[in-house]
């Protein structure tokens, strides 16, 4: 897959807006003034802690990856981020990196984990709004301006649990709406058969994610041939595919363990 950058405008058409590859009646809840999305197509990586500037410089020289995901915030963010500052964002962007902001918000009530912030039936809508607003604030504080995409990280959970799914979807819809209201793009990261499947197949087609990043570890660098959902959904440069995890790699003489993704979706727009 070639590394190239595109600018794509997703706009309201009459009473509908393009989401998930189909026109859906959600114009009333979707911003009409967002800047055009900045889209990157190529390989991306993510790792828990943002690498040092020297590592990013060495890895960029190899030209294997063109984008990196960074955890910008969320109560359940698991790693310290001493490198991740507005200065770091400016410098790595100037060096040619595209950045993918990730936000680890509240997690499902039926999930087995030690996450401290949990969704419930009573707090789902309000917490989604609060976290979505915070996600934008965190990204903005790092110099990622309106028109940037921010991705909500929702880990795997039991989607046969109807009450749990309903609470999670309520939270996600509220999170998306809050992000879009600030003129950012609302992305979603989840697992192919659980957290992502629940969102993609949601019967409520309003305030869906603008882009879907699905975890499916088949080791295939594609966002098309193994797309596990309806072929006409999220087709307008709206997909990421995490296809390999815990990959020990060396680029520019510097070793690092990362997860790999194929990418064809919006990224951050960096002020500068």
């Amino acid at each position: 897959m070639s590394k190239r950058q595109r600018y794509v405008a997703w706009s309201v058409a009459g009473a509908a807006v393009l989401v998930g590859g189909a026109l859906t009646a959600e114009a009333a809840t979707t911003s009409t003034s967002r800047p055009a999305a900045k889209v990157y197509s190529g390989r991306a990586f993510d790792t828990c802690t943002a690498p040092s500037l020297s590592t990013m410089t060495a890895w960029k020289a190899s030209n294997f990856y063109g984008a990196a995901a960074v955890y910008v915030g969320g109560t359940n963010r698991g790693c310290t981020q001493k490198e991740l500052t507005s200065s770091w964002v400016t410098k790595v962007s100037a060096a040619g990196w595209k950045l993918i902001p990730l936000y680890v918000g509240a997690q499902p009530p039926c999930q087995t984990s030690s996450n401290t912030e949990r969704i419930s039936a009573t707090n789902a809508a309000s917490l989604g709004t609060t976290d979505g607003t915070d996600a934008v604030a965190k990204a903005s504080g790092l110099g990622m301006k309106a028109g940037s995409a921010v991705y909500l990280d929702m880990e795997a959970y039991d989607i046969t649990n109807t009450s749990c799914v309903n609470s999670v979807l309520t939270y996600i819809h509220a999170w998306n709406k809050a992000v879009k209201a600030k003129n950012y793009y609302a992305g979603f990261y989840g697992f192919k058969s659980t957290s992502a499947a629940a969102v993609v197949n949601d019967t409520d087609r309003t305030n869906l994610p603008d882009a879907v990043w699905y975890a499916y570890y088949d080791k295939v660098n594609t966002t098309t041939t193994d797309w596990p959902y309806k072929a006409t959904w999220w087709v307008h440069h709206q997909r990421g595919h995490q296809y390999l995890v815990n990959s020990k790699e060396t680029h520019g003489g510097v070793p690092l363990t990362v997860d790999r993704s194929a990418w064809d979706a919006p990224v951050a727009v960096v002020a500068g």
Side-chain angles (χ1 to χ4, degrees):
M1 188 182 296
S2 63
K3 293 183 174 67
R4 59 198 183 276
Q5 179 179 312
R6 305 186 191 94
Y7 291 84
V8 179
W10 298 332
S11 60
V12 173
V17 66
L18 192 61
V19 170
L23 287 171
T24 60
E26 67 161 1
T29 57
T30 301
S31 168
T32 62
S33 58
R34 288 187 295 183
K38 182 177 183 178
V39 172
Y40 163 76
S41 298
R43 288 192 189 90
F45 78 86
D46 64 275
T47 188
C48 196
T49 300
S52 67
L53 184 59
S54 62
T55 295
M56 294 295 287
T57 300
W59 274 45
K60 190 68 182 72
S62 76
N63 207 35
F64 186 79
Y65 292 105
V70 291
Y71 289 87
V72 299
T75 301
N76 291 318
R77 182 174 66 171
C79 292
T80 58
Q81 300 292 342
K82 67 177 183 177
E83 300 288 345
L84 188 56
T85 63
S86 58
S87 175
W88 183 94
V89 167
T90 299
K91 289 175 180 177
V92 299
S93 297
W97 284 104
K98 308 304 181 291
L99 297 177
I100 303 163
L102 259 173
Y103 185 88
V104 190
Q107 295 297 303
C110 58
Q111 184 187 80
T112 302
S113 73
S114 58
N115 290 316
T116 56
E117 186 179 60
R118 294 282 185 157
I119 301 164
S120 71
T122 56
N123 73 10
S126 60
L127 190 56
T129 299
T130 298
D131 282 357
T133 302
D134 183 57
V136 169
K138 292 296 192 296
S140 177
L142 290 168
M144 301 171 182
K145 59 186 182 180
S148 295
V150 184
Y151 290 78
L152 175 63
D153 183 334
M154 189 65 65
E155 295 299 310
Y157 68 99
D158 180 9
I159 63 170
T160 66
N161 185 325
T162 302
S163 63
C164 186
V165 170
N166 289 340
S167 294
V168 172
L169 291 178
T170 296
Y171 171 87
I172 293 168
H173 284 291
W175 193 93
N176 290 343
K177 185 176 181 179
V179 169
K180 294 176 185 185
K182 297 292 185 180
N183 293 325
Y184 284 65
Y185 289 87
F188 182 84
Y189 167 86
F191 286 76
K192 169 198 167 186
S193 301
T194 59
S195 48
V199 172
V200 170
N201 295 308
D202 188 3
T203 56
D204 181 357
R205 307 308 286 177
T206 59
N207 282 311
L208 290 171
D210 292 307
V212 174
W213 181 8
Y214 60 105
Y216 178 34
Y217 306 136
D218 59 355
K219 301 180 181 180
V220 181
N221 180 26
T222 182
T223 61
T224 56
T225 59
D226 66 357
W227 171 251
Y229 314 113
K230 188 178 290 188
T232 55
W233 286 352
W234 284 274
V235 295
H236 300 282
H237 310 297
Q238 296 169 281
R239 300 176 184 174
H241 170 209
Q242 189 181 67
Y243 64 89
L244 179 66
V245 292
N246 298 322
S247 177
K248 297 179 180 179
E249 304 180 14
T250 299
H251 298 286
V254 179
L256 193 65
T257 299
V258 302
D259 300 338
R260 280 192 196 182
S261 290
W263 200 262
D264 184 26
V267 293
V269 179
V270 177

